[in-house]
Amino acid sequence: MEFDDAQIEDLDAIIALRRRAFEKITPSHYSPAEVENLLNDYDRAQFSKMIRDRRLFCYKKGTKLYGTAGWEGSAIRHVYVDPDQFGVGIGSNLIEHTILDFKKRTGCERMTAGVIIYARGFYEKSGFNVVAKKKAWDGSEFYEMSRPLK
Ligand SMILES: CC(C)(COP(=O)(O)OP(=O)(O)OC[C@H]1O[C@@H](n2cnc3c(N)ncnc32)[C@H](O)[C@@H]1OP(=O)(O)O)[C@@H](O)C(=O)NCCC(=O)NCCS
């Protein structure tokens, strides 16, 4: 699988992909109010900065976007896959691509992740361990997870 640096022209498609991915899985794990908060809790300027810094990656076939992942600080961020393509390895390969870039550019030996309830098993398969279960500002639960990179 090959990945591209996300471009500023991809931003609307990335935000639409985020919404599709969360709409698919969050209603079975969160209350309607929490789902609404999750769907709206993003910062366009923060995405733009990650793109400008070449820290956000995407998987495309032709011009269509099927997945994204990136990093900020020590955290992996914005791991989203098109629901029509769940389970074919896009998410895990995006994680490995992102971690390689993070390690090469920072030299850090640990990567963290804030993980919604649904995705815990996915991150565990990618080598992350649960550090703590936490509550977001609206009371919704998520896992703080971490993976050693040696
Ligand atoms: C979580 C997500 C990124 C997984 O992407 P994906 O491309 O379907 O994952 P992969 O196909 O690479 O799966 C890798 C492995 O994890 C497993 N897996 C995937 N999702 C899982 C889940 N929710 N729970 C447990 N295991 C899961 C797969 O079965 C696969 O296992 P295998 O290696 O034994 O075959 C995707 O479901 C998604 O976009 N979800 C909505 C957004 C989201 O939750 N993002 C994370 C934010 S914290």
Side-chain angles (χ1 to χ4, degrees):
M1 246 176 231
E2 297 207 354
F3 303 101
D4 300 320
D5 292 347
Q7 305 295 316
I8 211 70
E9 305 77 59
D10 297 321
L11 187 47
D12 288 338
I14 290 168
I15 288 170
L17 171 67
R18 177 186 184 278
R19 171 167 279 273
R20 272 203 311 286
F22 275 154
E23 276 178 342
K24 176 78 182 175
I25 52 94
T26 51
S28 51
H29 293 78
Y30 291 98
S31 71
E34 288 170 343
V35 170
E36 205 48 35
N37 290 339
L38 258 176
L39 290 176
N40 295 320
D41 191 11
Y42 67 88
D43 179 354
R44 218 180 148 88
Q46 185 245 352
F47 273 109
S48 301
K49 176 150 181 30
M50 287 176 74
I51 292 172
R52 277 200 307 277
D53 294 348
R54 298 176 50 241
R55 288 184 281 108
L56 188 65
F57 308 103
C58 59
Y59 177 67
K60 286 181 180 171
K61 285 187 209 163
T63 56
K64 188 162 167 28
L65 178 76
Y66 287 100
T68 63
W71 60 271
E72 184 165 69
S74 68
I76 191 151
R77 300 286 314 272
H78 302 311
V79 183
Y80 312 120
V81 171
D82 188 305
D84 291 340
Q85 302 282 312
F86 280 2
V88 299
I90 297 171
S92 46
N93 280 288
L94 271 162
I95 282 197
E96 295 312 318
H97 181 82
T98 302
I99 284 177
L100 269 180
D101 182 73
F102 169 75
K103 211 181 157 189
K104 191 168 70 190
R105 287 167 64 182
T106 67
C108 292
E109 295 189 340
R110 179 164 297 275
M111 182 129 233
T112 61
V115 174
I116 62 169
I117 301 294
Y118 164 86
R120 173 183 172 164
F122 164 74
Y123 278 89
E124 284 176 337
K125 288 213 162 171
S126 292
F128 285 77
N129 301 306
V130 172
V131 176
K133 195 176 196 183
K134 295 201 162 174
K135 286 197 174 170
W137 60 271
D138 62 351
S140 60
E141 293 183 318
F142 69 97
Y143 295 105
E144 184 183 310
M145 298 184 76
S146 124
R147 170 175 152 174
L149 303 182
K150 283 181 192 168

